Amino acid sequence: MGETKLDGLTRVLKLRPEIKDLIDKGDFKSIQQFDPSPSLADIITYYEYLELCNENENLFSTIKNECSSIKAIGNRLKIFVDPKEFFKRTYLSENMDDIIIKVFAGILGGEAIRRDGSITTLRSRIIILPSLMGGGKTHLLITLSHIIRLYNELVVERGDLKTFKGTLKLLNENLAERLYKLAENTERKKIRLAALDGTSEKTAPDPIKPIEKAIVIHSGNIKEVYKVHTLWGIIAHYFGNYSILAERDKRNSVPSKEELKQLLSGDPFIIMVDEPLVYLSRYGDKEKLRDFFQVLAIAIKELNNGILILSIPISQEELMGGEAKGAVREIYEVLSRVQSGLEIVPPLKSPEIVNVLKKRLFENDENELRKIGREVARLIVSRGGEVVKNAITSLYKSVPEFEEKVENSYPFSPLYVELLEEQFNHLKYLQRTRDAIRITIMAFAAIYNGLYRWLSSDFYLIEPYHIPIQDSSVRSYLVNPSYGDYQILMSMYDKDVEEASIKTSRAWLARIVGSFIWLKSIIGRGISEGRYLKLYPTTNDIILAVYDPAVFSQQNIGPGVINDVLNELYSYSN
């Protein structure tokens, strides 16, 4: 039986419109500046003013300015402010699923059922999202805010559970079914939401520079205008009872437990605080902020009708291992004293970045991609011969395990995904999700715009060498000019990749081999030699990182020459 003819990835993949637009421009610097994720403040501010701006003509000048601002947000972030488009592009990790179902069951009083059918419970009414930059914290908070708004509008106000379920299916069918049953079997109560983004004064004002825009609430036909100075003031505003904490807010005085309980009692609520340490740098008073979180935690514990979700820029391992320092440690310790057994859940686990990429970049069905991935893996095995099979068994123990890896990662090579993970684990200036998306879009732009046409007309997998480091702006983006070894690493590419490769018998192969080695080499900055040597690519790593049947067929060679070219490259490198 002959091999099944497979299309290359450019014929298989259905790029999302916004990704295709970026790629069509062909400008790597534009991609580097592209922000694939909005701030929490953008989404909250958009909906805060949307109805007001649409329904009121005689607005205060400061509110008119906000109306212009949200129009710009709506145009710039259309796919994020529209929950349907947002859900289509959101990969729902197991941890995100767990948090969402626990939160809703916890505040509505129902049963929290996991995606596998098991029953779970909320251990604490304080949830900490530990994750370094780009670890999915903000995306999860935006997802929750969209679901809460849909629940309030569709279920509580209209009683339209069918539309609620249908919209959530765009996020995940299994979760939609469980949230539908939860909403159906619990009392319908409006969920109050206060979502604070520490990077923005619009949702997290500070007394050093009081918020300049007016905030409008409705009391019958009366519009009331006031300035907000603190986190507790903005929470009171979002909950529609600013007057309870007005004096505390104006004087920058931490409210008492009794005052907070008066504010928080009644309907269920969720308070989200994203980037609290960024806020602290503006607010300036660490002790006062710590005291506020302590009193807030006590009030939440005693009332039992709400949940506090706090994102902290630290890994789960560091937090649980007692490695937290400074304000992170103080806030964590004060919350732990009030409520033992805090829920500590990172939104994403390391291997899940590939699923985020697929959801954000492609419209293809996951099952379709997995099926093609399995066929591509078998093609690699069948055409690669003993050289490739030996590399596979060395790295993945068995051929079936390799086939499963490619099935899960397609259209990305497992080595491409591993490279990204290593970069994000060791190069702390890179943001896991945002930079994974930007780097990958640059790789696609290089392929779709013909930068690798000299190599092959198409490819079966995205490999590490597709990251277009032949462009100096891309190299600079990855290396970061603020580091002292910047010039050394940039010069290393020139000498060990560009200059060395043209001296070899197969310059094209030497270049892609050298590119992979250079990409692995930059990970070594700032870590010990012993750890670095473990990251340095083996010959088997290199074989699987560069072998693509489409390329080697077009070049009319087999994978056996990879080792020969590697030796040549080493002999010409400095």
Side-chain angles (χ1 to χ4, degrees), residues 206-233:
D206 67 83
I208 296 172
K209 183 189 173 192
I211 197 164
E212 294 180 350
K213 68 182 180 70
I215 296 181
V216 177
I217 62 172
H218 292 271
S219 179
N221 292 321
I222 300 173
K223 297 189 181 92
E224 183 182 349
V225 184
Y226 48 84
K227 288 186 177 181
V228 179
H229 306 74
T230 63
L231 290 189
W232 44 95

Side-chain angles (χ1 to χ4, degrees), residues 510-570:
R511 174 179 279 188
I512 64 176
V513 168
S515 294
F516 175 56
I517 294 172
W518 185 84
L519 285 164
K520 295 280 282 189
S521 296
I522 64 174
I523 298 169
R525 61 175 10 173
I527 64 175
S528 65
E529 183 179 355
R531 291 174 61 199
Y532 171 63
L533 290 175
K534 292 179 181 179
L535 294 173
Y536 197 80
T538 65
T539 301
N540 289 323
D541 288 323
I542 293 167
I543 289 169
L544 291 185
V546 302
Y547 179 69
D548 185 322
V551 176
F552 280 66
S553 174
Q554 185 161 319
Q555 298 294 335
N556 198 28
I557 60 170
V561 301
I562 296 174
N563 196 48
D564 297 335
V565 169
L566 178 61
N567 289 330
E568 284 187 73
L569 190 63
Y570 282 149

Side-chain angles (χ1 to χ4, degrees), residues 311-345:
S311 77
I312 296 181
I314 187 174
S315 71
Q316 183 180 22
E317 293 75 20
E318 290 171 325
L319 187 62
M320 300 296 287
E323 297 177 42
K325 298 177 182 178
V328 171
R329 181 173 181 171
E330 290 192 27
I331 291 172
Y332 174 67
E333 287 181 347
V334 78
L335 295 177
S336 297
R337 284 198 298 271
V338 174
Q339 294 198 26
S340 60
L342 300 178
E343 289 273 357
I344 302 174
V345 190

Side-chain angles (χ1 to χ4, degrees), residues 51-69:
E51 183 177 353
L52 177 67
C53 295
N54 286 340
E55 295 183 2
N56 292 272
E57 294 181 1
N58 300 316
L59 297 172
F60 298 94
S61 60
T62 46
I63 298 300
K64 287 181 180 179
N65 292 337
E66 291 296 347
C67 292
S68 299
S69 174

